[in-house]
Amino acid sequence: TAPTPPAVLDQPPAEAPVPAPPAGGGPAAARPLPVALSAVTRDALAEQADRLLARLTDGADPAAAHSTAPVADLALSLGTTRSAFEHRAVLVAADRSELLDALTALAGDRAVPNVLRGRAVPGGRTAFLFPGQGSQRPGAGRGLYDRHPVFAEALDAVAARLDPELDRPLREVMFAPEGTPEAALLDTTGYTQPALFALGVALYRLVESWGVRPDLLAGHSVGEIAAAHVAGVFTLEDACTVVAARARLMQALPAGGAMIAVRASEEEVAARLGDRISLAAVNGPDAVVLSGDEDAVTALAEEFAALGRKTRRLRVSHAFHSLHMDAMLEDFERVTRSVSYTAPTLPLVSNLTGETAAPERVCDPGYWVEHVRGAVRFGDGVRTLAARGATRYLELGPDGVLCSLAQDTFDALADDNRPAPAAVPALRTGRDEERSLIGAVARLHAAGQPLDWAALLDGTGARRVDLPTYAFRRRRFWPDEAPAAADTATGPGDGDAAFWAAVQGEDFDALAGDLGVDGESLSRVLPALRDWRRRRGDQATVDGWRQRIAWRPLNRSGAPGAPAGAWLAVLPAGHADDPWTAEVLRLLGPATVRLEADRAHRADLALRLRRLQEDGHPFTGVVSLLALAEGYDPQAPGTPRGATLTTTLLQALGHARVDAPLWCLTRGAVAVSHGESVPAPLQAAVHGLGRVAALEYPHRWGGTVDLPETLDARSAERLADVLADPGGEDQLAVRPAAVFGRRLAAGRPGAPP
């Protein structure tokens, strides 16, 4: 047969890049995009930026062909081929020049407006906020309508259902230039409420298409109807029916009355309200809105102004949420009874209570009638959102009104152990809408919000490109001890070298003369002695290679600390009155919440944990004393009860979305020196469990701390300091003399663990 001709293999020609299609008629390069970087530490984040900057500017490197890659390529590649770590920075850039400037600032640890930094809070949740009347402005949404089909389609769908109820098409009023008669209509209630509803829903559909989805929802006044629609309570058609009727009936009421925002607490104003004044809103700890007859509201506001309190009159045509609304309630109730309701699919925080609304409550037509008249408890609602784990807030409206109002509540809930919440408006007055929205999404991602990068970059022609590898922070972790020397008793020393040489050489006659014994006896003993010598030598060599666990005193300099915030202490049944336990609880502070867990039922424990979180602030940390439970678990023969209870607690914390670090305490479970005994060996099982939990649940695990049987004052002080600042350690033992850390050491086995 004829030989097969040789085949020449070569790399195929590179595909020509697909140009990004222009969005809305403008150049593709003008579209701002988020470019995300992340790292385990802040320093590594700056180094990541430096590496990427070097790659992009290295024109002399022929392999760096992607140094001119579009911003979209980098955004897609970084978003889809790199892990998202805790420390994050998102650069908002429309072109390569802007990107290089942002990278330079990040690499130099300089703050610039288009570099949005944050830390992803483990287990953090996202809340969407829909504003009410007073936040409207002419032209809001016009920039997004022209460039994003998803937004335009959603807005058109709302307008198609609202336009039959209005004298003018809704879009004409919303997008009318400021100063025109059409734009003036936006400040009339009949158009304000439909416009805010339409804008909120369209913004929601756009960010939803980018993978930004809420865990919790809240609205302010008419904004709660938009939130309820998003939650599934109303269909779009029914929501539009309710919004249109609400706006029309309010607009038809006689004009008059006044609304004034006052810097005062609810308690301060409650005692001064008369029949003609209503509390329209409680927006924060010291932020209320008065509504009612103009002379009465003005007089009360002047009293507070005389006390040095700030007051601000709201530009409204009617006194909303007051007795001035009573005349339209009956007609509005007929409308609310004409539409259908479905239980919400997402938690919806109620304006009327400030708590999560029960499904049957928001599905009651009477709720939405009371909603017109009752006070808007927005401040309480923000507290509820925070208690349910919200760390990211996105306001879907024309400006940042609700984000500003929420700040007072955030300040009251401030916790030094957690990053401040990320509260961002989707749009801002006077700013480019697309850049504003991309910046808001970028800020959320920097705080931990996942994104659908492919959807976000759809239409940009983005492709994946090679990127620099992670900027590892290289550190040595070799044992700090030299390998133990071989045992000289088993090695050839100067005095016995001749003896062992004779044994190895089987020189029986010489040994017999030296030892004064007969050669026949030696012939039976020496081979066994030679083998023993060889085995001992091999063992000594291997021992020099081995490593062991040792407890080393830690150098904890500085003044002792004390645990801050509210802690949860989980105890086994019957241990609450133990003096040792009482001392541990005292160290945690007076705000400590106690919980007994005497049975290993995960669902029941998770329910109790959820209720505790809903009743108060999020916990700073969780301390478990469950290792003290005695004996073995009857449901798991051979397993210490403390270990099974601790496992159940760890799982229940996850189900209850409690991500505060869990610290497990034991009492005499390890020995840090030769002289120490281990009086509670069963508790050591919790230390083994902890080493697994640290790998499986790094965001929820704090560590293990072993304490002495008698908790003296010095040990107690050291424990408080460890819980306040563990210093990166998660396996500790506290003793009166020092705090010990578990370490890997070199040397022979046999030393205490």
Side-chain angles (χ1 to χ4, degrees):
T1 58
T4 303
V8 178
L9 301 180
D10 195 4
Q11 181 176 345
E15 295 182 23
V18 178
R31 178 177 175 183
L33 298 173
V35 179
L37 293 88
S38 71
V40 176
T41 66
R42 182 183 176 93
D43 290 343
L45 185 60
E47 192 168 334
Q48 287 286 95
D50 191 55
R51 286 190 175 200
L52 185 57
L53 182 64
R55 181 71 67 89
L56 292 174
T57 56
D58 185 10
D61 180 7
H66 62 279
S67 61
T68 58
V71 175
D73 290 356
L74 295 173
L76 179 66
S77 303
L78 288 165
T80 60
T81 67
R82 292 293 183 267
S83 298
F85 295 109
E86 177 184 1
H87 291 265
R88 302 183 182 185
V90 185
L91 289 52
V92 179
D95 54 40
R96 186 172 182 273
S97 175
E98 189 176 10
L99 176 63
L100 294 179
D101 289 343
L103 284 170
T104 302
L106 179 58
D109 202 21
R110 290 187 292 105
V112 294
N114 63 333
V115 176
L116 306 168
R117 303 190 193 212
R119 291 181 65 182
V121 178
R125 308 173 82 186
T126 300
F128 280 7
L129 308 176
F130 294 85
Q133 200 156 331
S135 62
Q136 71 276 3
R137 62 174 172 82
R142 178 60 186 267
L144 297 177
Y145 185 89
D146 290 341
R147 304 197 69 175
H148 290 280
V150 173
F151 180 91
E153 290 169 8
L155 189 67
D156 288 346
V158 177
R161 290 166 172 79
L162 288 172
D163 282 351
E165 307 285 341
L166 304 172
D167 295 332
R168 297 277 187 92
L170 182 60
R171 277 202 318 276
E172 289 184 10
V173 175
M174 291 179 64
F175 297 159
E178 189 171 5
T180 63
E182 290 79 8
L185 290 174
L186 190 62
D187 287 329
T188 62
T189 300
Y191 285 97
T192 304
Q193 295 186 30
L196 290 173
F197 176 81
L199 179 64
V201 171
L203 283 170
Y204 174 82
R205 296 304 174 198
L206 179 56
V207 298
E208 180 190 39
S209 73
W210 294 344
V212 185
R213 297 181 177 88
D215 302 297
L216 303 155
L217 296 165
H220 195 290
S221 192
V222 71
E224 188 171 338
I225 300 178
H229 163 59
V230 166
V233 175
F234 298 111
T235 63
L236 180 59
E237 184 171 353
D238 284 341
C240 290
T241 298
V242 172
V243 169
R246 191 179 192 270
R248 182 182 66 253
L249 292 170
M250 287 183 177
Q251 182 69 44
L253 292 171
M259 298 184 75
I260 299 179
V262 178
R263 200 70 177 168
S265 68
E266 179 180 5
E267 292 73 18
E268 288 178 297
V269 302
R272 308 189 188 194
L273 297 176
D275 294 338
R276 298 192 298 149
I277 307 176
S278 297
L279 191 62
V282 182
N283 290 324
D286 295 299
V288 299
V289 176
L290 307 177
S291 181
D293 291 352
E294 182 169 5
D295 59 336
V297 171
T298 302
L300 182 53
E302 288 174 350
E303 290 182 29
F304 281 100
L307 298 174
R309 306 297 182 85
K310 291 183 178 180
T311 64
R312 180 173 58 88
R313 190 182 186 95
L314 305 185
R315 294 187 299 108
V316 293
S317 57
H318 297 76
F320 301 109
H321 298 280
S322 75
L323 70 163
H324 286 235
M325 299 291 104
D326 289 350
M328 55 85 66
L329 297 182
E330 185 176 343
D331 290 336
F332 186 56
E333 184 173 9
R334 280 194 287 271
V335 176
T336 62
R337 293 191 179 281
S338 70
V339 299
S340 300
Y341 300 86
T342 305
T345 57
L346 287 170
L348 175 64
V349 175
S350 166
N351 277 181
L352 293 179
T353 65
E355 302 289 340
T356 305
E360 61 274 12
R361 187 79 171 95
V362 292
C363 291
D364 178 4
Y367 173 86
W368 299 100
V369 178
E370 187 181 352
H371 189 266
V372 171
R373 184 67 170 81
V376 178
R377 307 197 66 84
F378 179 72
D380 292 339
V382 174
R383 284 181 174 272
T384 297
L385 292 171
R388 298 203 59 169
T391 57
R392 301 177 292 269
Y393 299 79
L394 177 63
E395 181 175 347
L396 297 176
D399 210 336
V401 175
L402 296 187
C403 289
S404 178
L405 292 177
Q407 192 58 53
D408 286 345
T409 303
F410 293 151
D411 292 343
L413 298 175
D415 184 351
D416 293 338
N417 294 312
R418 289 189 171 224
V424 291
L427 304 178
R428 295 300 298 267
T429 302
R431 298 189 186 178
D432 175 78
E433 290 191 341
E434 188 166 30
R435 182 171 285 270
S436 177
L437 183 59
I438 290 296
V441 170
R443 181 71 182 86
L444 292 178
H445 180 68
Q449 173 66 46
L451 299 179
D452 184 342
W453 290 96
L456 178 58
L457 300 169
D458 184 38
T460 63
R463 295 184 173 206
R464 292 180 181 174
V465 294
D466 291 335
L467 297 170
T469 55
Y470 183 79
F472 289 101
R473 311 295 291 171
R474 303 188 183 280
R475 296 161 57 194
R476 283 178 58 87
F477 288 96
W478 289 107
D480 53 8
E481 296 182 2
D487 190 346
T488 57
T490 63
D494 292 339
D496 57 4
F499 172 78
W500 288 112
V503 170
Q504 190 68 25
E506 298 183 356
D507 190 353
F508 299 159
D509 292 339
L511 284 176
D514 290 341
L515 298 176
V517 297
D518 63 278
E520 184 178 351
S521 299
L522 286 177
S523 66
R524 291 194 298 268
V525 173
L526 288 182
L529 188 60
R530 181 191 58 203
D531 292 342
W532 174 86
R533 169 68 174 78
R534 180 181 52 78
R535 290 196 304 272
R536 291 289 290 174
D538 292 345
Q539 185 65 52
T541 301
V542 172
D543 287 348
W545 297 340
R546 287 184 177 177
Q547 295 171 327
R548 60 187 174 88
I549 298 301
W551 291 91
R552 296 288 179 254
L554 305 178
N555 181 19
R556 294 180 62 86
S557 58
W567 285 69
L568 171 66
V570 186
L571 317 175
H575 282 258
D577 297 328
D578 184 334
W580 191 93
T581 301
E583 178 63 12
V584 172
L585 297 177
R586 184 191 67 79
L587 297 173
L588 298 178
T592 302
V593 178
R594 305 183 186 188
L595 174 65
E596 286 197 1
D598 55 345
R599 295 185 307 277
H601 294 302
R602 183 195 318 166
D604 175 61
L605 185 56
L607 178 61
R608 295 166 66 191
L609 289 167
R610 277 195 295 269
R611 288 174 177 170
L612 286 176
Q613 277 218 130
E614 291 173 356
D615 291 343
H617 305 323
F619 295 116
T620 301
V622 181
V623 166
S624 168
L625 300 180
L626 296 177
L628 304 183
E630 298 175 353
Y632 292 95
D633 190 336
Q635 304 300 321
T639 305
R641 233 175 119 248
T644 56
L645 286 173
T646 304
T647 302
T648 300
L649 172 63
L650 189 61
Q651 295 169 336
L653 289 169
H655 286 290
R657 293 182 178 269
V658 179
D659 288 309
L662 170 63
W663 287 92
C664 295
L665 308 188
T666 59
R667 182 181 181 183
V670 304
V672 299
S673 67
H674 286 283
E676 274 199 355
S677 61
V678 181
L682 292 186
Q683 296 184 33
V686 172
H687 288 260
L689 171 66
R691 288 193 281 277
V692 177
L695 299 174
E696 297 287 344
Y697 307 103
H699 60 288
R700 199 184 308 146
W701 183 249
T704 53
V705 183
D706 185 67
L707 299 168
E709 281 196 283
T710 301
L711 192 58
D712 58 282
R714 187 59 176 150
S715 297
E717 183 181 85
R718 292 187 186 280
L719 172 61
D721 184 48
V722 163
L723 293 178
D725 179 14
E729 302 284 344
D730 67 348
Q731 299 179 63
L732 297 161
V734 172
R735 299 294 185 265
V739 176
F740 292 81
R742 192 172 184 268
R743 293 290 185 268
L744 188 66
R748 293 186 306 158

